[in-house]
Amino acid sequence: MIWDATFFESIPRFITPLLLAALGGALCHRAAVFNIALEGMMLIGAFFAVVGSYFTAHWLGGIGAALAAGLASGGLYAWFTVRRGGDDIVVSIGLNILAAGLTVFLLRAMFDQRGQFDDPAIATLPRIPLPGIDAIPVAGPLLSGQSVLFWLALALVPVLHWGLVRHRLGLRLRAAGDNAPALRTLGLSPERIRTLAILASGALCALGGAQLSISNVSLFTEGMSAGRGWIAVVIVMMCASRPLWILPAAVFFGLVDAMGVRAQAYGLPQQLTDALPYVLAIVVMAATLRRATLRVRI
Amino acid sequence: MAADDSRQAALCRLHRIDKHFGRTHALRGASLELRPGEVLALVGENGAGKTTLMNVLFGLIAPDAGGFELEGREGFFADAADAIAHGFGMVHQHFMLFDDMSVLENVVIGAEGPGRLGRIDLAARAAEVTEVMRRFGFHLPLETRVRDLPVAARQQIEIVKLLYREARVVILDEPTAVLTPQEADALFSMLRGLAGEGRAVVVITHKLSEVMTHADRVVVMRGGEVAGERRVAETSAAEIARLMVGRDIAPVEKKTHAGTGTRLALRGLLCAAREGERQVGPVDLDLRPGEILGIAGVAGSGQGPLVETLVGLRPAESGRIELDGQDITRANVAARRAAGLAYMAEDRMRSGLAIEASLAENAVAGREAQPPFARGPLRALGAVADFGRDLIARYDIRATGPTQRVAQLSGGNKQKIVVGRELSGTPRLIVAHNPCWGVDIGAIRFIQDQLLAAAEAGAAVIFVSSELDELFALSDRLAVLYDGQVQALLDRGDLETGRVGRAMAGAAA
Amino acid sequence: MSRARWIVPLAALAAIALIPDLRAIALGFLDGAFGGRNMFNLWSTVSRASILLGMAVGVLVAFRAGLINLGGEGQLVLGGLAAALVGIYAPLPVWAIVPAAVLGAMLAGGLWGMLALWLDRGLKVPLLVGSLLLNYPAGYFASWLASHPLRDVASGIAQTHRIDRDARLPRFDGTILDYGIFFTVAVALLVILADRYSVFGYRLRMQGLAPGFARAQGMPTGRLGYQALFLSGAIAGLTGFTAVFGFAQRYVDGMLTLPLYAWTGIVAVLLAGIVPWRVPIAAALFAVLATGAGGMERVAGIPRESAQIITGLVILWLAGSGRSLMRRRGE
């Protein structure tokens, strides 16, 4: 049966990385930073989550290492774009290539592994059981026993929405994206606010990566992000960087992922189900962007 | 100096400011004094140093030499925040607003007030802004996005922004460029009120009529220096003009030589509107050979769409465009150019030129595939370079040669390339959109003379400008646009500021 | 400042010369890139440079026109695939196979490139993202073909059957370098010359520098864009052909994607500052970097991914050095 508990249980696991990365990308986009290095930042997060978790034998170590690595990659991005005036797209390309090379390099240098590293010592994120809901047919597997990151990602949606409207940082973030010179005439620094947004996106993407490597599974494989960072970019664009719209979009692509995996069990070639999200991404973007509601700043 | 008597009352003083940008000596010992209760006009040509001086005042540029004194305190502001904290506020020529944010957000940003953990108490801020607006007689919808407001309202937001921050010094850069004459009068009476409460008001402008009517004192800048300072009551427009330019400027000599027949006919022309745009048209107009039709209107009254539709960059929704009796409504830009269209685009840096390309490459654009600039699919590089050199000589363009990058040239020289390119090859119809914007007075005269000469040679000219002075000087007839419609069509003999101003505001002329 | 600029490389050179371990690594790098028995490694560097040159020139055509085509990978893969299909299955006389395969490869790559621009202009999916997303279906489709319907089952890995022996691109005597390099070098020369001496090249350049200007001057910008994307994709497809008919002699799953040819091609164009004559130099540089890193791995066990790390760092450094790598639209 396709619609069994395992299927529902898997949906949030696919949603979480997309949601976290898209929220991070949205913060940048709102500040007029076209961050398309989400893929690389996720990959770095996934790798260092495994590193931290393996060496500390605790999931918090994994999260901590992922966060630190994510902030570092955000710092690198911010340094080369905001500080040195580099082009967003070029820096993104550089960071993506660097992330792909660095993770494979370190995989071999640190663990002497090619392709994949798994070890019983890698601690996974705790799952949060929801007594009382467990037993309900669909909602039970969907909501009970999910990782902390799933709930964090969900909570961030209203928090970021509120913050963009009602918090002074949110106001200034939008202002930096709208008209940076005008912000400067007010004596405020668009550079600072952009740096903050980029750092936040690095951290969020890294957490998304951690969900991939130490929650969904407990291992790291080369190129583990597998294009999810690009799907996140698509989500950011079609949702015009609005947190409240990003949630349903992430749910949609999470569902597609989950159903793809399911379909493989029924004999559909993996390559075709793997291609599905990208084809759908193009179709959905064409459908949503056509009305030109979004002015894409690139 | 004529104004020494009120020295004691100075609020602040810039003293002998000097500033170089590379080899350019932008400010040469310029001094300026602001006094409470006074409306000061700061006038000068493009590049005279007005903006640089204001940037020095605001701490945005560190001068090479000179001093600043505010109420006995010495030393320049550290940055814009410092200046704002000391009660200095500026309304820039290009409004510094956030289009996608509400009026309230635009006013309070940077001064969001107290709030736990950075939360903004929007209700409390709204009450404060409402109170400020009530005191000064503004009526702005606080929740509306700036994007949806007209230009005059946006300017009011900028002023409310300053008043909300309790500015004592209010500086406005070319504030009337986007206003109708009536709106400009209203603005100045409001500024007079602000000065009356003890603020120092500075208006940067190049419109001498405004200076004479509304200012108390005028400081004239030329070539980075203060060329003169006068009490308005003790001077004349002619004297200020002489100080600005350093010599007498003869008025443009305009002869009417409109021929017979119809060069251009617009019949019920309706421009295709893009999403969110107001409709422009239907427009009915006839133009004779040799005739210059001026087009006036507040910015955004439909000039852009009309020009784009005329040159083929925007399709016509309905109606006809005929050039010498030939229907070109559906023709593309290349076909229209082949039929004798020349186009001087408003946005020189993006549409008029490829500034990263060389002078010669810009000069042949549009004719790159025709002899002598091409042989079949290949370019004739020798002919291209020759043409570039020819243009440099004929138009007195200050450039090192045909291969120099256009980005390195001054505004006036850039525009000379556009004018030279478009006027070579005896066009039949010239569409010129603000061709004199942002260039120095010498180049302005040159460009105006070129347009007059082209008209004399038989071209019909559509001359869109935001400057009434030059429209009055060049036009045989003047069409005033309001909200996408031709509100008035006046003959040269009927041109009068009040009439045109009323039409610009949408009233019957 | 100016002194610091040459002190660093000088110190690095001195360290390499004086410290035995570093010297061994450096020699390993040089051997990996230029040495080997019968100069095997040199020829494999040249072979890789040929592929990178093809990819870079394809990207160059699009970037020159201001069109950010990140879809080189999909265009390359589909070109290679089309070539393989023609080479293996087309019932053609031997002499016609290569021309047919070239045509098929260029059509496949070119149309895939045009599709990306159509998504942009027709459906408002930004070219940058649309072209990139199209890489994935193309890559997965080729991977599926190679591992299921077209698989050479006997070989045990995911690859197609071999191209007919007589249709393969011959190799230079005593080397592993095949005649594919004639194709890529010829295309590169053509593009470099056309950029300067043809009206088409001039128009592409003007459109890239100032699209609004090109339109206002009456250049056929709509057509130019599709022509540029077709050419860009077709050159990538042709590169796929040279790989399939050249060193691989068949389509092997991942042969065109795993070495990051497309991304390296983009990086080479950026390093060249989108200046045509510098592109071949940049492509050769990255080929040396990749094979040299392989040499370092052999002598010192440094993972060869060090080449990717250096590539990424080079791009970051370039982007931050204020050189105009990409002339942005507007502002």
Side-chain angles (χ1 to χ4, degrees):
Chain A
M1 157 109 172
I2 291 190
W3 315 109
D4 60 8
T6 328
F7 172 70
F8 290 114
E9 194 271 327
S10 74
I11 295 172
R13 291 197 275 121
F14 287 112
I15 294 174
T16 307
L18 292 176
L19 186 53
L20 285 168
L23 288 174
L27 286 180
C28 287
H29 207 239
R30 272 296 178 92
V33 175
F34 192 55
N35 180 355
I36 53 170
L38 306 181
E39 176 81 2
M41 291 175 165
M42 264 177 124
L43 193 57
I44 285 177
F47 179 78
F48 282 95
V50 162
V51 171
S53 177
Y54 174 75
F55 283 114
T56 64
H58 195 282
W59 64 275
L60 273 176
I63 292 289
L67 272 178
L71 287 172
S73 61
L76 204 62
Y77 189 106
W79 170 261
F80 282 109
T81 53
V82 176
R83 268 309 270 278
R84 306 297 308 271
D87 183 286
D88 298 353
I89 296 168
V90 178
V91 170
S92 295
I93 291 173
L95 196 65
N96 282 332
I97 292 177
L98 180 68
L102 188 71
T103 48
V104 178
F105 184 92
L106 291 179
L107 188 65
R108 297 184 60 194
M110 293 172 73
F111 305 112
D112 200 21
Q113 297 287 329
R114 246 196 178 288
Q116 181 169 322
F117 174 63
D118 56 49
D119 192 289
I122 300 172
T124 54
L125 297 183
R127 308 189 162 277
I128 300 175
L130 299 178
I133 297 186
D134 300 45
I136 306 172
V138 175
L142 202 59
L143 298 179
S144 183
Q146 295 300 338
S147 79
V148 276
L149 288 181
F150 172 64
W151 295 107
L152 174 72
L154 274 191
L156 277 176
V157 171
V159 166
L160 290 183
H161 171 77
W162 179 88
L164 283 172
V165 182
R166 280 305 184 95
H167 195 276
R168 101 181 35 207
L169 277 179
L171 189 67
R172 293 173 184 189
L173 184 84
R174 284 188 291 140
D178 194 322
N179 188 348
L183 197 59
R184 218 168 275 132
T185 62
L186 293 171
L188 300 170
S189 159
E191 287 77 19
R192 232 187 69 199
I193 202 94
R194 282 181 176 152
T195 302
L196 286 177
I198 295 166
L199 287 175
S201 79
L204 288 173
C205 289
L207 289 181
Q211 167 76 20
L212 288 176
S213 66
I214 62 169
S215 178
N216 291 3
V217 289
S218 58
L219 53 85
F220 178 82
T221 54
E222 289 180 11
M224 184 162 210
S225 44
R228 284 187 180 81
W230 293 105
I231 297 289
V233 169
V234 169
I235 293 175
V236 171
M237 293 175 86
M238 60 188 244
C239 296
S241 306
R242 292 181 177 86
L244 292 186
W245 295 13
I246 284 174
L247 178 62
V251 168
F252 171 78
F253 281 104
L255 261 176
V256 172
D257 268 347
M259 295 204 302
V261 169
R262 225 0 68 137
Q264 283 166 29
Y266 286 80
L268 232 65
Q270 187 201 344
Q271 289 95 343
L272 297 193
T273 62
D274 281 351
L276 189 65
Y278 302 98
V279 176
L280 278 177
I282 294 172
V283 172
V284 173
M285 267 221 282
T288 51
L289 295 188
R290 244 167 120 169
R291 264 161 275 129
T293 46
L294 162 68
R295 290 162 302 125
V296 182
R297 271 183 266 260
I298 49 173
Chain B
M1 293 241 174
D4 270 0
D5 49 336
S6 47
R7 250 188 121 76
Q8 298 304 320
L11 175 74
C12 68
R13 187 176 294 133
L14 281 164
H15 188 61
R16 304 190 70 77
I17 306 292
D18 231 69
K19 179 69 188 175
H20 287 81
F21 293 112
R23 273 177 300 167
T24 318
H25 201 166
L27 289 175
R28 304 162 188 260
S31 299
L32 186 71
E33 193 175 289
L34 306 187
R35 299 169 196 154
E38 184 187 65
V39 175
L40 169 72
L42 182 60
V43 300
E45 290 288 331
N46 282 305
K50 296 168 295 184
T51 310
T52 311
L53 191 62
M54 289 301 111
N55 284 336
V56 169
L57 177 64
F58 268 80
L60 297 172
I61 292 177
D64 301 335
F68 177 62
E69 185 193 324
L70 171 66
E71 293 170 331
R73 191 199 84 149
E74 288 278 348
F76 291 94
F77 293 132
D79 52 27
D82 195 13
I84 292 168
H86 283 87
F88 281 65
M90 180 152 176
V91 177
H92 295 259
Q93 184 178 5
H94 301 287
F95 297 150
M96 292 294 181
L97 295 172
F98 309 103
D99 287 353
D100 282 326
M101 294 174 27
S102 72
V103 172
L104 178 61
E105 288 174 329
N106 266 281
V107 173
V108 302
I109 184 168
E112 299 94 343
R116 215 150 51 88
L117 299 171
R119 197 179 76 90
I120 306 172
D121 188 346
L122 282 179
R125 297 294 87 76
E128 291 165 11
V129 175
T130 308
E131 172 56 23
V132 169
M133 293 205 301
R134 195 194 54 74
R135 251 182 68 206
F136 295 95
F138 290 101
H139 303 279
L140 292 167
L142 288 185
E143 295 307 321
T144 310
R145 281 192 319 171
V146 168
R147 176 178 299 289
D148 300 326
L149 290 173
V151 188
R154 295 185 197 194
Q155 188 172 61
Q156 292 181 6
I157 301 173
E158 289 279 25
I159 295 168
V160 171
K161 223 160 92 180
L162 303 189
L163 298 177
Y164 180 72
R165 287 166 170 73
E166 297 176 345
R168 296 179 296 161
V169 177
V170 177
I171 301 166
L172 301 99
D173 190 1
E174 298 286 356
T176 59
V178 294
L179 303 180
T180 65
Q182 286 80 2
E183 285 169 337
D185 284 341
L187 172 71
F188 275 109
S189 69
M190 200 270 305
L191 292 179
R192 174 59 62 195
L194 295 184
E197 293 187 1
R199 291 181 185 79
V201 176
V202 181
V203 177
I204 301 171
T205 183
H206 64 273
K207 297 183 182 171
L208 298 186
S209 58
E210 287 174 8
V211 176
M212 297 311 295
T213 325
H214 299 292
D216 300 314
R217 185 163 61 102
V218 53
V219 170
V220 185
M221 292 193 70
R222 187 177 72 232
E225 291 174 311
V226 171
E229 180 173 350
R230 300 282 187 276
R231 301 207 66 80
V232 168
E234 296 160 7
T235 184
S236 67
E239 189 192 13
I240 299 173
R242 207 159 42 241
L243 287 170
M244 270 169 73
V245 186
R247 61 192 150 90
D248 285 312
I249 289 281
V252 176
E253 272 179 55
K254 162 77 183 165
K255 287 187 290 250
T256 298
H257 27 249
T260 52
T262 303
R263 174 56 53 76
L264 176 76
L266 306 182
R267 296 281 172 267
L269 180 67
L270 200 62
C271 310
R274 301 207 181 102
E275 185 156 321
E277 278 181 355
R278 305 289 289 271
Q279 192 158 66
V280 174
V283 175
D284 287 273
L285 281 174
D286 283 291
L287 226 69
R288 285 171 295 161
E291 186 181 23
I292 298 182
L293 174 73
I295 294 194
V298 175
S301 297
Q303 296 93 327
L306 180 61
V307 164
E308 286 175 16
T309 311
L310 282 175
V311 301
L313 289 169
R314 179 194 286 258
E317 186 83 46
S318 61
R320 281 163 72 83
I321 307 171
E322 286 174 14
L323 184 57
D324 286 323
Q326 180 196 351
D327 186 352
I328 58 164
T329 319
R330 306 267 166 258
N332 62 22
V333 180
R336 290 182 203 209
R337 282 184 173 276
L341 168 77
Y343 171 42
M344 301 173 194
E346 180 182 36
D347 190 347
R348 189 178 310 148
M349 306 293 272
R350 291 191 204 174
S351 303
L353 296 163
I355 58 168
E356 293 297 328
S358 75
L359 188 153
E361 285 174 326
N362 274 281
V364 301
R367 288 183 293 159
E368 71 274 1
Q370 300 162 11
F373 304 127
R375 278 185 302 268
L378 296 183
R379 303 171 65 208
L381 294 179
V384 171
D386 286 345
F387 184 70
R389 270 189 285 273
D390 181 48
L391 212 61
I392 290 173
R394 271 193 297 139
Y395 285 83
D396 189 26
I397 299 169
R398 305 291 157 84
T400 56
T403 56
Q404 188 173 19
R405 260 188 342 133
V406 168
Q408 296 169 332
L409 306 180
S410 75
N413 283 312
K414 285 193 184 99
Q415 189 66 349
K416 281 179 174 180
I417 300 175
V418 175
V419 173
R421 176 186 69 216
E422 298 300 327
L423 295 187
S424 64
T426 53
R428 308 172 72 78
L429 170 68
I430 300 167
V431 178
H433 196 173
N434 266 331
C436 303
W437 183 83
V439 304
D440 57 89
I441 200 151
I444 288 178
R445 261 315 281 278
F446 182 81
I447 293 164
Q448 290 175 345
D449 288 342
Q450 291 293 322
L451 286 175
L452 286 171
E456 195 163 356
V461 181
I462 290 191
F463 178 60
V464 184
S465 172
S466 49
E467 300 282 333
L468 284 185
D469 292 349
E470 66 173 358
L471 282 168
F472 284 18
L474 297 191
S475 306
D476 292 303
R477 281 187 299 156
L478 182 71
V480 183
L481 289 184
Y482 172 76
D483 196 22
Q485 308 283 332
V486 176
Q487 186 72 19
L489 188 57
L490 303 168
D491 283 325
R492 185 171 178 80
D494 300 331
L495 294 183
E496 181 253 311
T497 313
R499 256 183 109 169
V500 173
R502 277 194 298 281
M504 285 168 74
Chain C
M1 267 317 270
S2 62
R3 205 189 309 166
R5 195 169 290 169
W6 52 263
I7 276 184
V8 173
L10 219 66
L13 274 181
I16 287 168
L18 296 175
I19 302 171
D21 280 354
L22 284 182
R23 199 163 59 215
I25 293 171
L27 288 175
F29 182 93
L30 291 176
D31 183 67
F34 306 111
R37 204 151 54 84
N38 297 330
M39 303 223 283
F40 179 91
N41 294 346
L42 173 65
W43 298 122
S44 79
T45 301
V46 175
S47 176
R48 179 182 279 261
S50 162
I51 303 285
L52 289 181
L53 177 63
M55 291 313 294
V57 168
V59 170
L60 175 71
V61 171
F63 278 20
R64 262 319 228 192
L67 300 167
I68 305 185
N69 173 18
L70 299 187
E73 189 160 292
Q75 295 146 16
L76 169 75
V77 163
L78 290 185
L81 197 64
L85 285 174
V86 171
I88 300 165
Y89 298 104
L92 292 170
V94 167
W95 61 265
I97 290 182
V98 164
V102 166
L103 204 71
M106 293 183 76
L107 268 179
L111 292 177
W112 202 244
M114 281 171 86
L115 176 63
L117 189 62
W118 177 75
L119 288 172
D120 180 298
R121 296 205 170 155
L123 301 179
K124 306 271 184 275
V125 178
L127 177 65
L128 171 90
V129 176
S131 64
L132 185 118
L133 288 176
L134 282 176
N135 288 337
Y136 289 90
Y140 285 125
F141 176 65
S143 171
W144 173 68
L145 280 184
S147 44
H148 295 290
L150 306 184
R151 181 170 186 163
D152 177 5
V153 181
S155 73
I157 50 173
Q159 58 183 14
T160 66
H161 296 277
R162 277 176 184 260
I163 310 285
D164 188 332
R165 178 174 301 277
D166 299 321
R168 290 176 203 158
L169 293 176
R171 290 180 175 171
F172 290 95
D173 275 349
T175 74
I176 57 150
L177 182 68
D178 58 67
Y179 283 13
I181 196 168
F182 286 131
F183 289 87
T184 52
V185 168
V187 164
L189 268 177
L190 218 61
V191 167
I192 291 169
L193 291 175
D195 180 79
R196 180 165 166 78
Y197 294 105
S198 78
V199 171
F200 178 71
Y202 167 84
R203 286 178 169 171
L204 274 195
R205 203 146 43 80
M206 290 306 125
Q207 189 186 340
L209 293 175
F213 167 75
R215 235 160 75 79
Q217 293 311 118
M219 297 178 200
T221 49
R223 207 173 65 212
L224 278 174
Y226 282 107
Q227 287 168 337
L229 252 287
F230 180 84
L231 263 180
S232 175
I235 294 172
L238 178 73
T239 310
F241 155 82
T242 66
V244 167
F245 272 61
F247 65 81
Q249 303 177 352
R250 55 170 37 144
Y251 187 87
V252 187
D253 188 20
M255 67 179 265
L256 299 173
T257 50
L258 292 182
L260 295 185
Y261 289 135
W263 285 109
T264 314
I266 291 169
V267 169
V269 172
L270 294 175
L271 178 67
I274 324 188
V275 174
W277 63 267
R278 293 188 196 150
V279 166
I281 302 168
L285 214 67
F286 282 109
V288 168
L289 185 61
T291 51
M296 293 203 303
E297 178 173 294
R298 282 191 292 278
V299 301
I302 300 169
R304 63 175 65 216
E305 283 72 22
S306 56
Q308 274 183 39
I309 295 177
I310 294 171
T311 305
L313 289 175
V314 163
I315 283 309
L316 288 176
W317 175 79
L318 266 178
S321 69
R323 292 173 207 189
S324 63
L325 292 175
M326 246 186 226
R327 297 183 192 87
R328 294 286 292 277
R329 299 146 301 287
E331 279 151 50

